[in-house]
Amino acid sequence: MQIARTVEEFRALRASVPALGVVPTMGFLHEGHLSLVRRAKAECGAAAATIFVNPTQFAANEDFSTYPRSLERDLELLRAEGCDFVFAPDRVEAMYPPGFDIRIAVGGVTTMLEGAVRPGHFDGVATVVAKLLNITQPTRAYFGQKDAQQCVVVRKLVRDLNMPTEIVVCPTVREADGLAMSSRNAYLAPAERQAATILIRALRAAEALFQAGEREADALRQAMRAVLAGEPMAVVEYVSAAHPESLAELERIGAAGALLSLAARIGKTRLIDNLVLPPAG
Amino acid sequence: MQIARTVEEFRALRASVPALGVVPTMGFLHEGHLSLVRRAKAECGAAAATIFVNPTQFAANEDFSTYPRSLERDLELLRAEGCDFVFAPDRVEAMYPPGFDIRIAVGGVTTMLEGAVRPGHFDGVATVVAKLLNITQPTRAYFGQKDAQQCVVVRKLVRDLNMPTEIVVCPTVREADGLAMSSRNAYLAPAERQAATILIRALRAAEALFQAGEREADALRQAMRAVLAGEPMAVVEYVSAAHPESLAELERIGAAGALLSLAARIGKTRLIDNLVLPPAG
């Protein structure tokens, strides 16, 4: 496995393979990330991961400085998966040199859900993803469904800017008790870790209602809120039953299906999760 | 010469050559454009031009609907230069499909000069150039120095987003009497065409002062204004002696040299021109 610490070093590695699958990450890797690397390797022949905690997608009051980092462990995990290349910029200035002041705004789909709670977040995501795709020039880039709105934003970025990369969204990987894997789970104290399963339990309650025939989106949102209300440690930020492309809140679940999503704080830790409902007649 | 009317058609052409020089244009081609095509062909082996009058870089009060168009003549001229491919989208929706709402803002260098007079212009330019570079994937892309600020914006776009294309800026091509070639010259009535030479005469007066040892930027700006004042048909929008990268107005011409630029209306036609001053001790 070859490790590039600068853009120029990565470009030289990239030129050595005809096709490449890339997994952009902020490091502190877990099985979710590794499942993407395996798929990239299997589908493209060569796989690369990028590891960069991107400051421009954190607001001033967020956890940029405390976001967990573990480069040596990450590299070991990637090596064990047969990952070919890693792009791990050696400093923030490698990505944002002095004088950098470009910004990509992806429009309507960035204003709701995570975008409403985290203003500017998706401009930061879109800009760094555009840069990472231009640097790594992947045949395909792999993202986890766990960050559902990010997947919508990245797909729109690539489509609207005609970027020559295929975006592949892979299933959320979960712990045995259903908690979605996330680097931020490392923040949870034992009691909080227990309480955190309330997110997937809320989503599954709404999904079960849907499977039993419920088509009113409000009923699904209320079901999620009712389950979340049973966990005193959870402070709900939003629950949503939205169109999977436009992310507009639905009145009824119809031919487009729906994205059920929610965000809650457990103690000081902010967690998100989602499930996709299939099209309904 | 092969002509693509859709993104997909162009991608198929692109895949047939290892290297490509691309000349993005809005059509109504003149010798300035053709000089770029010749250089692209000579340096890259294969050359492509894009022809697209981009609505998002025109303000509501500007000349989008009347901008001169001549596709058949343009194609003849390109064929005669040995241009290999043309990307000429058959409709605006080929570039901006329903739901398109992405925007690239390039920051400080878009706020002055043309950007101050034409708000939103460079967001439109940056967004369409990013799309065209992603569609055509050039080894090198060629732009004319005539649009000096556009060249600064495009270089910054490519550098800040790490786009894998080299931007080449080529000298302004002029008529025998010095008027910079521009598709908009077609708007000029005979008397206006005569008056339009005032732009290059103003620039050359300031350049001559500089060559005679003047280093105060205000003196150069005043010299340009004085010459322009001698032409009653010219309504000046701005004159500038600016840093060639940051485009900030200079007090003295120093080690960075300077970009002398100006914009004026001759009748209803808006014209721009510029000259670059070399570094001064």
Side-chain angles (χ1 to χ4, degrees), chain B residues 64-108:
Chain B
F64 172 67
S65 61
T66 59
Y67 193 87
R69 290 157 168 92
S70 60
L71 184 59
E72 287 313 312
R73 188 175 149 279
D74 289 346
L75 296 177
E76 263 173 55
L77 291 169
L78 291 169
R79 203 174 279 116
E81 295 296 343
C83 185
D84 297 271
F85 312 136
V86 176
F87 176 52
D90 52 4
R91 54 196 209 292
V92 167
E93 291 73 26
M95 292 292 282
Y96 301 114
F100 179 96
D101 64 352
I102 208 164
R103 200 172 57 86
I104 303 182
V106 180

Side-chain angles (χ1 to χ4, degrees), chain B residues 169-189:
Chain B
V169 176
C170 303
T172 302
V173 176
R174 299 182 179 281
E175 305 285 355
D177 62 3
L179 179 67
M181 290 201 185
S182 165
S183 305
R184 289 189 171 99
N185 292 350
Y187 296 145
L188 298 167

